[in-house]
Each structure stands twice: as C-alpha cells, then as structure tokens.
Amino acid sequence: MRLPRTRPRSLAGQLFAMQVVLIAAVVAGCAVFAYVSGSAQAEETAARQVRVAALAVADSPSVREAIRTPDPSAVLQPYAERVREDTGIAFVTIMDTERVRWTHPDTSQIGDTFLGNTAKALRGQTFTETYTGTLGPSIRVVTPIRDNGRIVGLVSAGITVDRVSSQVREQLGALALAAGGALALGGIGTYVINARLRRHTHGMNAAELSRLHDYHQATLHAVREGLLMLDGRRRIALINDAGRELLGLAPDTEAVGRTVDELALPAPLTGALLASEPRVDELHLTAERVIVVNTRPVVGGEQRGTVVTLRDHTELQALTGELDSERGFTQALRSQAHEAANRLHTVVSLIELGRVEEAVDFATAELELAQVLTDRVVGAVEEPVLAALLLGKAAQANERGVELVLAEDSLIDDGALPPSLAQRDLVTILGNLIDNAVDAASEAPEDAAESGAAVPAPRTAGGPAGRARVTVTALADERELLLRIADTGAGIGPEAADEVFRRGWSTHGAGRGLGLALVRQAAHRNGGTVELDAGPDGGARFTVRLPLGDRTAGSAAGARAKEVTA
C-alpha cells in the first residue's frame, strides 16, 4: 500500500519552529549566563563581606586590649559572636600567632589549632581563600592583628559555600521565572507574527513560493498583453516587457518606482491610468500605437493600487480601416454596376429606336469620362497600392457628388518607395485624409447655407464650376514622399489646427475623430510630419511628408522582391 505523500510544512510554520528554537536557545543562554554571573558575583560579594568583617575586628582597640589579658577568650568570644550575628557570616575566629583559637562558633573548638593557611597573614598580608574547615568548605579571609606595629594575633572570618549556594539558588528561582515569562512572551509574539505571515503567504511553503515566483516571472515575460501595476501612490510597482513596448519605454529605462506623470505619456492616457474608478476597453493613442486600456483598482480596506492591462489595437484598427475601405469600394461598385446597367439600357433603347449615331455618341462620351481619371492615375502613380486606392476613393467620392482630382504635378515611379515604408501606413494616411476631405467637400455647401456664410467659388481645374472637389497631390523624389489633399469644404480655423489630430475631435458627433489621430501616428511612426493650412479653394489642406532615405537601395530592394515573386 502506497503511503500518501505528506505536504511540506508551510513557510510560516517553518519560520515559527525556527523562531521558537531560537528564542528558547537565547533565553536558555541568557539564563545560564545569568546563573554563572550570579554565582561569581555571590562569591565576590561574600568575599568582600568577610574581608570587611575581618579587617574591622583586627582594627578594633577592644580586641588588642583583650589579647593583653591573661584570658583573651573570656572577652573575645562574646564579641566575635556579636560580630558574626550582626554581619550574617558563618564564623569569626580570633587566634594567637601559634594558630590557637581564642574564639569559635562551636565553643568546644576553642583552644584547638586553626585549620587553614596563616603564613601570609603572619607576614603582614591579608588574603582570601576557599578552605574546608570544621564547618565545611568556606570562603574565608585571614588578616593580622597589630599592636604597636607588632603582630599579636590573627583574625579569620568566613562564610560557608553552602550558604552562598543557597543564596544563588534563591536568585535562580527568580531567574527561571523571568526566563519562562520571556519565553512565553516570545512564543506568543512569534505565533502572532507567523499567523499574519501565513495569511499573506496563503499557507504555502518555501518551494511553492519559489515556484510561484518563477511562474510569475515567466508569465510576465511571455504574455503578449501589457501589464502594469501601480501602488497606492500611483508609482509603478511592476511592468512587463509588453507594457514597456506598448507605452514606448526604452528597455534600459528604469520604470519601477517612477510615477505615471514622469513617463511623458499623452494626457488622456495619463488620466486613465491615474483614475480611481475602473476603465473598461478605453481606446487611447500613443506616439506610435493604438492601445486598449483596462484598469481596476485593488481595494482591501483602503486603496492599495491599480492593475492596468494594455492591448495593442494598432493592427486591428488598421484592418478595420481597410475593411471600411473595402466596404466603401463594394458600395461604389454596386452603385456603378447599377448606373452602368441604366446606361446600357439607354444605349440599347436608342439602338432599338433607330438612333444608332446618338447611341454611339452617348456610349463614347461615358467611356471617355470613366477612362480619363484612370489613365491619369495609372500614368502618374505607378505604385499599385496607391493607384488602386485613388481609383477606389474616386468612385466613392463620385457617388457622393464629389470630384476627386489628381494634381498635374503628381508623379510616383514604380520602385520609388522603399520596402521600409509600410503600405498599410500609406493606406491609413491617404485613405483617412481623402475620406475627411470628401466629407468636408460634400457637406460644406449645406453647412455654409445653414450658417449664412459665403461659400467660396471653387476653380474649375478639370471640373464644372461650383462642384465639390478634392485635389490630391502625390509626389516622390529622392528624399521624401509628398502627399497633399485639399478640399473645397468650409475649412478649419487656426484655433483648431492642433486639436484636429487629437483623438475624439470631430465635427460629426461622438464616436468619431480617430482618423486624423491615426494619420499623425502613422506619419510619426515613419519619421514624417503632418501639416494643416488653408487650401487654394477655401477648404482645408493637409500635407504629409515622409522621408524615403536612399532611393537606390529602395529600388534595388524592390527589384529583388519582384524577382523573388516572379
């Protein structure tokens, strides 16, 4: 039968056991040290006590007078007993220089020889020793008695070792009580601290915490979404690699510990990160990306911080723009197919009525009108993506009653654009600018009529006078690509020149105002600029300049790409 595998003790339990052992060892060590120190101190105190008593007896004039009498014991025995009782020592023995006792606590010992060393005392020295006499082991002091400079006797005062040990044992009881109290308090404090630690670590052991940390680090670096954690003071506590990339922070930039205000992010994004309420799927723009921001405060009795997730929406937004363009192309083709059917029916009806020449003239005129712009675009713009985009936007503009005109000085040779310039960014820039220009040109007469403002009369330049028009200039040289879009709309005032590129700015109500922000972002991503001024026809004119670098290298790369494709 296989025994169940026991789970290792939790980190808090391990620390508790270690701390209890440590506290017990410290308390035991302190108790032993206190006992040893107390014993030594008790012996030293006893030695000082008997020394003082012996010196006091030796210096007493009554003792010297009693020694001169024929029977010194008669006077010295009562005196020695009083001193012994008053000082609390074991014995006070007064003897002659021949070591014969004159006094002793046991009167039967008077007259016998003193047991101990007296040589130093006979030489005039006072010394201390531990010696086993008639009362057992004792700490004693022997000192000489002088009379007119002559040693006439000796005094020995002592205290038994048993009495010193009993005093130490009394102190040891108090010491043990104090040590037990310290151990109990230390154990209770350690238990409280470890109980809190157990709550914070959720009862996991050291191996589990280490494994959790490794998984945590691996997850942070592997997840493709940006993760940002802010503490209660809105300082960055944690940020992963994807978060650094989405916020445009350099890899060597120290972000942890800095506040959100120090990251130089756009104001709307900074406000979203600093907000105390949750944010759900908010769209924000950085210098190069469109990101979706979600925030959720971490609350536990008080606000402890905020968890922020960032998703890259740049590619999705570009695909959405392309999908919108495709839908527009589809609608334009559907409308053109319907119009072509009407024109074909007209030609067939003219033939059936016998008006063949009129039918031929009508069909030829329609073919020429449809082919003029196609020939102009294909001849001037040899870049297939831009050419297809211009033709599609021309069809969309025509459906809205707006004429799209390609300027005479437009010229983009095939291979003029380097591979480093993303075609998707070109579609984003040119498509959004043309869409905005078509909106402005198609709505300007109505807006001007409603407001009572004078509508500027557009110049013909290839179209009938008074018709709404968008003029596109696309020119590439060795240094840069120039895209300029002008319309015949109402224009944009100078006070709004900077605000138009901010996300959310729109004249069409809520939910709009992202196109121009994406235009500036795409231009910035490719090292270019976007400028806004007044156009020649009274409307707005946007000018985008994108650096092309080495045109030769770009052409060679394009040629190689074509060879590989072939």
Side-chain angles (χ1 to χ4, degrees), residues 34-51 87-91 128-131 135-141 157-173:
Y35 174 74
V36 173
S37 299
S39 298
Q41 186 176 6
E43 292 179 359
E44 183 180 356
T45 302
R48 285 200 306 267
Q49 184 179 3
V50 295
R51 184 184 184 87
T87 57
I89 59 180
F91 63 90
T128 303
E129 68 173 353
T130 301
Y131 193 87
L135 299 180
S138 62
I139 301 172
R140 59 180 61 182
V141 173
I159 186 170
T160 60
V161 174
D162 291 341
R163 182 175 297 184
V164 175
S165 300
S166 64
Q167 294 176 355
V168 173
R169 285 193 294 270
E170 292 176 0
Q171 296 176 357
L172 183 61

Side-chain angles (χ1 to χ4, degrees), residues 192-268:
V192 172
I193 294 174
N194 283 272
R196 184 174 182 181
L197 178 62
R198 186 179 295 105
R199 288 196 301 271
H200 288 307
T201 58
H202 301 285
M204 291 186 290
N205 56 45
E208 292 172 337
L209 288 174
S210 177
R211 187 164 56 250
L212 180 63
H213 176 268
D214 294 339
Y215 289 159
H216 174 266
Q217 292 297 322
T219 302
L220 285 180
H221 291 288
V223 69
R224 296 302 303 163
E225 286 192 354
L227 179 62
L228 188 67
M229 294 186 182
L230 308 177
D231 60 15
R233 300 174 61 181
R234 295 300 189 274
R235 293 178 304 186
I236 297 176
L238 182 146
I239 184 171
N240 66 346
D241 298 339
R244 286 177 174 274
E245 182 180 356
L246 293 178
L247 294 180
L249 301 179
D252 56 348
T253 302
E254 184 61 34
V256 177
R258 300 173 61 185
T259 61
V260 176
D261 296 333
E262 298 175 3
L263 300 182
L265 300 175

Side-chain angles (χ1 to χ4, degrees), residues 373 393-394 397-398 400-407 433-445 455-472 484-491 535-541:
L373 181 60
K393 292 299 182 183
N398 186 59
R400 300 184 59 180
V402 178
E403 179 185 11
L404 192 147
V405 178
L406 187 65
L433 290 179
I434 292 177
D435 288 341
N436 288 342
V438 170
D439 289 341
S442 63
E443 297 174 0
V455 179
R459 291 180 291 181
T460 55
R467 183 178 180 183
R469 183 171 65 256
V470 173
T471 303
V472 179
R484 180 177 289 127
I485 295 89
D487 59 68
T488 59
D537 297 325
R541 180 174 64 180

Side-chain angles (χ1 to χ4, degrees), residues 363-432:
T364 302
E366 289 298 323
L367 181 61
E368 290 177 352
L369 290 175
Q371 192 67 26
V372 168
L373 181 60
T374 302
D375 294 341
R376 178 77 186 93
V377 170
V378 174
V381 180
E382 297 184 10
E383 188 68 29
V385 175
L386 294 182
L389 179 64
L390 288 173
L391 291 175
K393 292 299 182 183
Q396 288 181 280
N398 186 59
E399 291 298 322
R400 300 184 59 180
V402 178
E403 179 185 11
L404 192 147
V405 178
L406 187 65
E408 295 294 333
D409 58 346
S410 297
L411 179 60
I412 298 180
D413 295 330
D414 188 16
L417 304 182
S420 59
L421 185 59
Q423 294 180 348
R424 178 171 292 175
D425 288 342
L426 292 178
V427 172
T428 298
I429 294 173
L430 192 58
N432 280 288

Side-chain angles (χ1 to χ4, degrees), residues 538-559:
R541 180 174 64 180
F542 289 88
T543 303
V544 179
R545 300 178 185 273
L546 301 176
L548 298 182
D550 189 355
R551 181 176 178 179
T552 304
S555 300

